[in-house]
Amino acid sequence: MIKKIILSGFGNVGKEFVKLLNEKKSYIKEKYDLTLVLCGILEKDGCIYEDRGLDMSYLYDCPLGSRGILKYSDFNREAFYNYPVLEGDILVECTPSNIETGGPSLNYIINSINRGMDIVMLSKGALVTNFNQLIELANKKDVKIKYSGATAAALPTLDLGTYSLAASQIKNITGILNGTTNYILNRMFEDDISFEEALQEAVEKGIAERENSMDIDGIDSASKLLILSNSLMDTTYSLEDVSITGIRDIKKQHILQAKEENKVIKLLCKAYAKDGKWMLEVTPEKIDTNSLLGNIKGSNKGILFNTDTMGEIYLIGGASNPRGAAAAALKDIINIYI
Amino acid sequence: MIKKIILSGFGNVGKEFVKLLNEKKSYIKEKYDLTLVLCGILEKDGCIYEDRGLDMSYLYDCPLGSRGILKYSDFNREAFYNYPVLEGDILVECTPSNIETGGPSLNYIINSINRGMDIVMLSKGALVTNFNQLIELANKKDVKIKYSGATAAALPTLDLGTYSLAASQIKNITGILNGTTNYILNRMFEDDISFEEALQEAVEKGIAERENSMDIDGIDSASKLLILSNSLMDTTYSLEDVSITGIRDIKKQHILQAKEENKVIKLLCKAYAKDGKWMLEVTPEKIDTNSLLGNIKGSNKGILFNTDTMGEIYLIGGASNPRGAAAAALKDIINIYI
């Protein structure tokens, strides 16, 4: 089987996806009898498209973002289009997440679905803003839509909930879904440093971005929790339905006090039923230091599914980097077609 | 879609499967548009079969094993057959695991595949003795074969390896795959009791069976590791290829010595590559007390996949009881048909 891929977004993750696709191409052909061809890349300032597949050796030399597209079109002028060419079997969505409007990805996705293309998403934006619309449209047009990379990159939270827990009922979910805040809280715990010092260190190490409010204030965690809930618990919530507290106000003394009780503060994402209604909460909470979630170190993530038939299942780890995210997209593509 | 199920084995797990199927029937119909009908049950002394589906209220009153089949046929004489009736879409295999010959399940499975039936297995026997034959036959006859319940009941080790790690390469696996031995080692660690005392306690609590050599001597762990390796690493190994040491010789002093080093002894299942060859080992080993695998308490299980693209992914927990195993079979059925 041959499948033509259109990639939207040529940032860190998009370029990593291109590299990984190239690295794994023959393995995927051999193992799954699936030939994946990258035919197009969409960026803000234009699009490159070649029906026989883009030239990987050109692409490797191209810088990130629109500059990369323009550089590629210097190599091959005929490949450049000033509008999005959606001539493929599947769209892999890697543009930066915009959780207020959905960003340009929203249009790419809707247009692709309308053309009968399957969708794999790594960006959260359109899932946060237009979840139900996208799922309904995909159902109507009978295309597949997968987005496991949008809910914790390489940690397969959605796979577990949809595939491994098929026919099980989820009683509640507790997760640590943001690596940056876990890193900061862990550093405060380990070395008794302040929130500001830990944040500074995280920025210096490239774990936090300079613009880090989405992480610190719990919005990134809440977005992932929201997508999990709408996917697994059939809620139709939006971000306003999530009660969100970030970690900005966590002081040294809170950490010390927790320590004295053999506890550690973690930014927890919780989904639980109350009076027949699903409640979604992101909140810093004290938990036992030697519990499995309490033991999650550095910028790692983890999630606990409490179920009616399979007991408690923990999923912990998964690379929090562009390569891990790209691998999640590749896995989704394969699981759509095999 | 309607699918007719034939169940082989009406023991603890088999009966639990019947109950769970009945409990989840309308949920599965509504969520997956899949109607599952239990039409037959095979046991040592005969078979009951009704084309319109067996009567659940009769079945609930039937004792386990062949006696149950005979009691059902007292209710309805026409349902009884003295040979296995394989008139269904899928065989759910729940007979006791026989890892020396494959047991009666081997014939049930081969005959079912030859009739074009899909297969879901909870028993390990035939997978340990005839893995490659079964997979090849299933491929040849174009039927699906799933057995996630055979590799750690409700802990979805195989789902993670096949589905969530699609296109990832597994560098190595480390698991605690047997709940009984973990319970014993944990009790020895917690209360400084001897192996014999801990085993006795496990038997009294129903965590270990009276006939427990398969668990204690590491054979159960090795069987699961073998199935994982043959499934995920494309090895064609048999049980003789696994280096196996059980926990029978673990003394109080070993546990105490480990404790002094902040370590705990766990019965580890390890798969790793050495000189281009996969090595499989089951062996008691000292690991850090506050590592994620070191922290697995009671009769819980866990596994660590170390991968080339997704980093380290841990899966921990899952109910170790007949209901958890039955839920794993139900999940496999759904994932075959949706």
Side-chain angles (χ1 to χ4, degrees):
Chain A
M1 198 188 324
I2 297 176
K3 292 292 171 183
K4 294 182 175 180
I5 299 173
I6 306 292
L7 171 71
S8 59
F10 193 60
N12 271 319
V13 176
K15 187 157 186 184
E16 196 61 42
F17 175 78
V18 172
K19 284 185 193 164
L20 192 64
L21 185 62
N22 207 31
E23 181 186 327
K24 295 280 187 181
K25 211 169 169 176
S26 30
Y27 177 76
I28 293 170
K29 169 83 182 101
E30 191 185 340
K31 178 149 186 182
Y32 305 103
D33 194 21
L34 180 63
T35 302
L36 299 174
V37 185
L38 179 68
C39 293
I41 301 180
L42 318 180
E43 259 293 343
K44 273 202 292 285
D45 296 344
C47 161
I48 48 176
Y49 179 85
E50 295 195 61
D51 193 53
R52 60 177 177 185
L54 295 169
D55 187 305
M56 287 295 165
S57 55
Y58 283 1
L59 268 179
Y60 271 49
D61 287 339
C62 293
L64 301 180
S66 285
R67 286 177 55 225
I69 302 310
L70 297 174
K71 174 134 188 198
Y72 189 94
S73 61
D74 282 343
F75 290 128
N76 178 358
R77 283 184 189 280
E78 289 182 5
F80 185 81
Y81 296 81
N82 58 8
Y83 57 90
V85 179
L86 296 171
E87 302 277 345
D89 298 298
I90 185 161
L91 175 76
V92 176
E93 219 301 301
C94 286
T95 59
S97 293
N98 180 333
I99 61 160
E100 273 155 30
T101 65
S105 79
L106 187 58
N107 277 332
Y108 294 154
I109 294 164
I110 291 173
N111 291 340
S112 299
I113 295 177
N114 279 326
R115 297 178 68 98
M117 289 170 70
D118 298 309
I119 310 286
V120 164
M121 295 175 71
L122 283 171
S123 56
K124 286 181 286 295
L127 292 167
V128 171
T129 56
N130 293 65
F131 186 88
N132 296 305
Q133 183 198 355
L134 295 183
I135 301 298
E136 275 168 29
L137 186 61
N139 286 339
K140 194 175 139 203
K141 295 287 179 178
D142 200 21
V143 306
K144 296 272 204 283
I145 180 164
K146 277 191 170 277
Y147 44 87
S148 67
T151 50
L155 190 71
T157 55
L158 264 175
D159 291 349
L160 197 117
T162 51
Y163 192 85
S164 300
L165 296 180
S168 284
Q169 198 189 319
I170 294 170
K171 287 154 74 178
N172 55 63
I173 289 176
T174 310
I176 294 171
L177 300 179
N178 178 275
T180 304
T181 44
N182 198 61
Y183 179 87
I184 291 170
L185 291 172
N186 193 47
R187 289 294 296 127
M188 291 175 74
F189 181 86
E190 277 178 344
D191 275 7
D192 296 331
I193 57 177
S194 70
F195 167 77
E196 289 74 17
E197 287 167 315
L199 174 58
Q200 174 73 19
E201 185 186 300
V203 171
E204 279 162 14
K205 290 200 168 185
I207 291 165
E209 295 171 57
R210 290 207 174 274
E211 184 44 68
N212 46 50
S213 151
M214 288 277 287
D215 292 324
I216 301 305
D217 294 321
I219 320 291
D220 176 76
S221 295
S223 301
K224 290 170 182 161
L225 180 64
L226 174 69
I227 297 170
L228 285 174
S229 174
N230 284 346
S231 303
L232 303 176
M233 274 83 98
D234 295 328
T235 51
T236 54
Y237 288 164
S238 63
L239 211 47
E240 290 95 71
D241 298 304
V242 190
S243 154
I244 311 173
T245 311
I247 65 162
R248 202 177 286 278
D249 297 331
I250 303 291
K251 308 282 180 215
K252 270 187 185 188
Q253 77 223 43
H254 298 123
I255 304 275
L256 284 171
Q257 198 185 333
K259 246 185 198 175
E260 277 167 20
E261 303 166 30
N262 272 325
K263 287 182 189 277
V264 56
I265 296 178
K266 294 287 181 188
L267 184 62
L268 296 186
C269 300
K270 301 197 291 183
Y272 57 95
K274 193 178 166 187
D275 304 330
K277 188 173 180 291
W278 280 101
M279 312 295 286
L280 306 185
E281 264 180 46
V282 175
T283 177
E285 206 170 293
K286 283 190 283 189
I287 58 175
D288 284 345
T289 309
N290 58 5
S291 63
L292 285 167
L293 291 181
N295 215 7
I296 294 177
K297 302 281 163 58
S299 58
N300 277 309
K301 288 173 273 199
I303 193 164
L304 159 62
F305 290 87
N306 186 10
T307 74
D308 67 335
T309 55
M310 301 224 186
E312 294 188 334
I313 301 183
Y314 289 85
L315 196 53
I316 296 170
S320 286
N321 55 34
R323 186 168 163 90
L330 202 51
K331 161 199 66 175
D332 277 354
I333 296 173
I334 290 167
N335 287 326
I336 286 179
Y337 295 121
I338 63 166
Chain B
M1 200 189 322
I2 297 178
K3 293 291 169 184
K4 294 181 174 182
I5 298 174
I6 306 292
L7 172 70
S8 59
F10 193 59
N12 271 320
V13 176
K15 188 157 185 182
E16 197 60 45
F17 176 77
V18 172
K19 285 186 191 163
L20 192 63
L21 184 62
N22 207 31
E23 180 186 326
K24 296 281 187 179
K25 213 169 166 172
S26 32
Y27 176 76
I28 292 169
K29 168 83 182 103
E30 192 185 337
K31 179 149 185 180
Y32 304 104
D33 195 20
L34 179 63
T35 302
L36 298 175
V37 185
L38 180 67
C39 292
I41 301 181
L42 318 180
E43 259 293 343
K44 271 202 291 287
D45 296 344
C47 161
I48 48 174
Y49 179 85
E50 295 197 60
D51 193 53
R52 61 178 176 187
L54 296 168
D55 187 305
M56 288 293 164
S57 55
Y58 283 0
L59 268 181
Y60 271 48
D61 288 339
C62 294
L64 301 183
S66 284
R67 287 176 56 224
I69 302 311
L70 296 172
K71 173 134 190 197
Y72 189 94
S73 61
D74 283 346
F75 290 128
N76 180 358
R77 282 181 193 282
E78 290 182 4
F80 185 80
Y81 297 80
N82 59 8
Y83 56 89
V85 179
L86 295 171
E87 302 277 344
D89 298 299
I90 184 161
L91 174 76
V92 176
E93 220 301 303
C94 285
T95 60
S97 293
N98 180 332
I99 61 159
E100 272 153 30
T101 66
S105 79
L106 187 57
N107 277 331
Y108 295 154
I109 294 165
I110 290 173
N111 291 340
S112 300
I113 295 177
N114 279 326
R115 296 176 69 96
M117 290 170 69
D118 298 308
I119 310 286
V120 164
M121 297 176 70
L122 282 170
S123 57
K124 283 180 289 292
L127 292 169
V128 170
T129 56
N130 294 65
F131 187 88
N132 294 305
Q133 183 197 357
L134 296 182
I135 301 298
E136 274 168 27
L137 186 62
N139 285 339
K140 194 175 139 203
K141 296 287 180 178
D142 201 20
V143 307
K144 296 273 205 277
I145 181 164
K146 276 190 171 278
Y147 44 87
S148 67
T151 50
L155 191 70
T157 54
L158 264 175
D159 291 350
L160 196 114
T162 51
Y163 193 84
S164 300
L165 295 181
S168 285
Q169 197 189 320
I170 294 171
K171 286 155 72 177
N172 54 65
I173 289 177
T174 310
I176 294 171
L177 299 179
N178 178 275
T180 304
T181 44
N182 198 62
Y183 179 86
I184 292 170
L185 292 172
N186 192 47
R187 289 294 297 125
M188 290 175 74
F189 181 87
E190 275 177 347
D191 275 8
D192 296 332
I193 59 178
S194 71
F195 168 75
E196 289 75 17
E197 288 167 313
L199 174 57
Q200 174 73 19
E201 186 186 298
V203 171
E204 279 162 14
K205 291 203 168 182
I207 289 165
E209 295 171 58
R210 288 206 178 275
E211 185 44 70
N212 47 51
S213 150
M214 288 277 286
D215 292 325
I216 302 306
D217 295 320
I219 320 290
D220 176 76
S221 295
S223 302
K224 291 169 182 161
L225 181 63
L226 174 68
I227 298 170
L228 284 174
S229 174
N230 284 347
S231 303
L232 304 177
M233 274 85 96
D234 296 328
T235 51
T236 54
Y237 287 164
S238 64
L239 212 47
E240 291 96 72
D241 297 306
V242 190
S243 154
I244 312 174
T245 311
I247 65 164
R248 203 176 284 280
D249 297 330
I250 303 292
K251 309 281 179 218
K252 271 188 185 185
Q253 78 223 41
H254 297 124
I255 304 274
L256 284 171
Q257 198 184 334
K259 245 185 199 175
E260 277 167 20
E261 302 165 29
N262 272 325
K263 289 183 187 277
V264 58
I265 296 178
K266 294 286 180 188
L267 184 61
L268 297 186
C269 301
K270 301 196 290 183
Y272 57 95
K274 192 179 166 187
D275 302 331
K277 188 172 180 290
W278 279 101
M279 311 297 287
L280 305 186
E281 261 179 49
V282 175
T283 179
E285 204 171 296
K286 284 190 282 190
I287 58 176
D288 284 345
T289 309
N290 58 7
S291 64
L292 286 167
L293 292 180
N295 215 9
I296 293 176
K297 301 282 162 57
S299 59
N300 276 311
K301 287 172 275 198
I303 193 164
L304 159 62
F305 289 87
N306 186 10
T307 74
D308 67 334
T309 54
M310 300 224 188
E312 294 188 336
I313 301 184
Y314 290 84
L315 195 55
I316 295 170
S320 286
N321 56 34
R323 187 168 163 88
L330 202 52
K331 161 199 67 175
D332 276 354
I333 297 173
I334 290 166
N335 287 327
I336 285 179
Y337 295 120
I338 63 168

